[in-house]
Amino acid sequence: MACFVHERVTEAVCESVKGKSVARSCVLYAFCCFLPSRSPAMGNLIKVLGKDLENCPHFFLDFENAQPTEAETAVWNQVSAVLEEAHGILAELQSYNGAGQEIREAIQNPGDLALQEKAWNAVCPLVAKLKRFYEFSLRLENALRSLLEALTSPPYAPMQHLEREQALAKQFAEILHFTLSFDELKMTNPAIQNDFSYYRRTISRNRLNNQQLEAENEVNNEMANRMSLFYAEATPMLKTLSNATTKFVSENKTLPIEDTTDCLSTMACVCRVMLETPEYRCRFTNTDTMLFCMRVMVGVIILYDHVHPVGAFAKTSKIDMKGCIKVLKEQPSNSVEGLLNALRYTTRHLHDDSTSKQIRALLQ
């Protein structure tokens, strides 16, 4: 009889606090005291409530106003120096028009030296700009490494780090926001690849003719090879962050890989909870913070999917992919279609056998 009552009470309590995460820890504590420790009801309650608490931390991550504590200042200053350039990089990329017209005229008139020179003079400053973008990716990689070291170091768990060191968490989010913004702009601008290909062809042709152009002093052959690999990627900045995170894990053999992936999954969960919880959303004072939060959520999902051995879409994943996709689909399609496409086309494990049909259907 007692078991029956406990089962009914458990069901009633679970139903009453469903979706009310703030109350769950209190309810769990109260019923731990009330129910016999070995009762089936106790097990069910811990399974229903405890799992949610463990896998989905609920706290507000202040993306708008977080300021560094004294303990965060050294890393924060280092990363801040890099992020100060990010806005300018995006502005330059957004205004990148390319030298398509000049290149076409030069190709169509190979004997016209004036047109060849005109195309070359148009391409060289653009390649210098592309070099700056590439070099910035290297600085961003170092900044990410510093943040990963700070946000995964013992003795704190990733959730504790994110809650305690919100200024560093905010910078981590800003790096992801920049990364997805950069890659979106790059993917929609074929002029980048065309300009750089023309530059390399011209350099090679002149080298065969024993001519060296002045521009080679700035972008030599070795640098050109590295830049070529970078821009050949559909999402070059994301690839840089993915490689940096994988390298961080492999070089820190004493640090369990879970510490790094848990940092990513916790960030994804915190973003999702803030987006779907009105009490948290109403604390956003900037209208752009919603999109920022969604972009960060997608960024950490993709990064997690690249770094974790089984990815973000498997049943064992610590990211609630269905919940994250549903949150995105509740927004106006014009603001999230690019983010949904990022999940469709830049993740690694979406089409694995371990991915459920439901999740695949949600992304169709």
Side-chain angles (χ1 to χ4, degrees):
M1 180 66 183
C3 253
F4 174 80
V5 171
H6 291 155
E7 289 283 2
R8 291 294 171 266
V9 171
T10 301
E11 290 173 11
V13 170
C14 290
E15 187 61 33
S16 69
V17 298
K18 191 175 183 181
K20 300 174 184 176
S21 56
V22 177
R24 290 190 176 200
S25 57
C26 300
V27 172
L28 184 56
Y29 174 79
F31 271 76
C32 282
C33 298
F34 173 73
L35 292 173
S37 62
R38 294 187 181 181
S39 74
M42 186 70 238
N44 288 342
L45 184 60
I46 291 175
K47 185 178 179 182
V48 173
L49 298 183
K51 183 175 184 295
D52 183 77
L53 288 169
E54 178 188 351
N55 291 340
C56 200
H58 292 69
F59 61 86
F60 184 77
L61 213 169
D62 194 350
F63 285 140
E64 295 177 341
N65 305 304
Q67 295 298 317
T69 61
E70 187 176 347
E72 297 171 86
T73 301
V75 174
W76 189 89
N77 285 338
Q78 177 193 341
V79 177
S80 182
V82 177
L83 286 172
E84 282 176 2
E85 298 179 54
H87 182 74
I89 293 286
L90 287 179
E92 282 192 80
L93 181 56
Q94 199 157 18
S95 63
Y96 189 102
N97 294 321
Q101 180 64 30
E102 293 87 345
I103 291 171
R104 279 192 296 273
E105 289 176 353
I107 291 173
Q108 290 167 2
N109 301 277
D112 192 324
L113 295 180
L115 289 177
Q116 305 306 311
E117 186 175 356
K118 182 182 177 183
W120 180 249
N121 290 337
V123 163
C124 282
L126 294 173
V127 170
K129 188 177 291 188
L130 294 179
K131 181 189 175 188
R132 287 199 302 276
F133 296 166
Y134 168 70
E135 289 174 334
F136 180 75
S137 77
L138 303 180
R139 293 196 291 278
L140 200 69
E141 180 180 346
N142 290 332
L144 178 73
R145 182 185 180 86
S146 297
L147 288 174
L148 286 174
E149 286 174 353
L151 294 172
T152 60
S153 60
Y156 301 115
M159 183 182 75
Q160 292 172 305
H161 274 297
L162 292 174
E163 194 166 10
R164 289 166 56 95
E165 295 147 25
Q166 295 219 357
L168 298 186
K170 178 174 180 279
Q171 288 185 319
F172 185 58
E174 287 170 344
I175 286 177
L176 290 165
H177 181 266
F178 165 82
T179 296
L180 264 68
S181 300
F182 182 96
D183 287 347
E184 280 180 16
L185 290 170
K186 186 266 177 184
M187 280 193 290
T188 56
N189 194 339
I192 291 172
Q193 287 282 77
N194 294 338
D195 292 348
F196 195 65
S197 295
Y198 178 80
Y199 174 85
R200 297 209 71 186
R201 287 198 306 271
T202 304
I203 290 287
S204 297
R205 186 170 62 246
N206 286 320
R207 193 175 291 120
L208 288 174
N209 296 329
N210 293 319
Q211 295 176 338
Q212 182 169 359
L213 298 169
E214 189 177 332
E216 283 190 80
N217 296 327
E218 183 170 351
V219 181
N220 59 32
N221 195 49
E222 182 185 350
M223 172 62 77
N225 287 337
R226 294 203 302 266
M227 287 172 61
S228 183
L229 291 172
F230 177 76
Y231 288 110
E233 295 287 342
T235 53
M237 285 292 177
L238 185 64
K239 180 68 173 175
T240 297
L241 296 195
S242 173
N243 289 344
T245 307
T246 303
K247 185 179 178 183
F248 172 79
V249 169
S250 64
E251 288 181 351
N252 290 271
K253 300 189 185 302
T254 58
L255 187 72
I257 186 174
E258 290 79 11
D259 285 20
T260 304
T261 54
D262 283 358
C263 177
L264 302 176
S265 61
T266 302
M267 179 80 88
C269 181
V270 169
C271 289
R272 176 179 64 79
V273 170
M274 289 200 300
L275 287 166
E276 66 187 12
T277 307
E279 292 85 351
Y280 289 156
R281 282 203 312 272
C282 71
R283 292 172 65 179
F284 297 154
T285 58
N286 190 323
T287 54
D288 293 334
T289 305
M290 279 281 289
L291 180 59
F292 178 90
C293 204
M294 287 187 284
R295 199 183 292 274
V296 171
M297 181 181 73
V298 169
V300 286
I301 288 171
I302 296 169
L303 203 53
Y304 181 100
D305 194 59
H306 279 249
V307 174
H308 195 280
V310 297
F313 299 95
K315 288 181 181 178
T316 54
S317 167
K318 291 188 177 181
I319 297 178
D320 176 7
M321 285 305 305
K322 278 190 272 191
C324 291
I325 295 168
K326 285 177 181 176
V327 164
L328 292 174
K329 290 204 158 188
E330 287 169 0
Q331 312 306 317
S333 60
N334 62 328
S335 65
V336 297
E337 191 59 30
L339 297 177
L340 290 169
N341 282 338
L343 291 176
R344 290 177 185 122
Y345 305 122
T346 67
T347 47
R348 182 174 289 175
H349 295 280
L350 175 60
H351 300 290
D352 287 2
D353 293 338
S354 58
T355 303
S356 73
K357 291 180 180 178
Q358 278 182 306
I359 291 176
R360 289 185 196 176
L362 281 171
L363 284 174
Q364 281 181 352

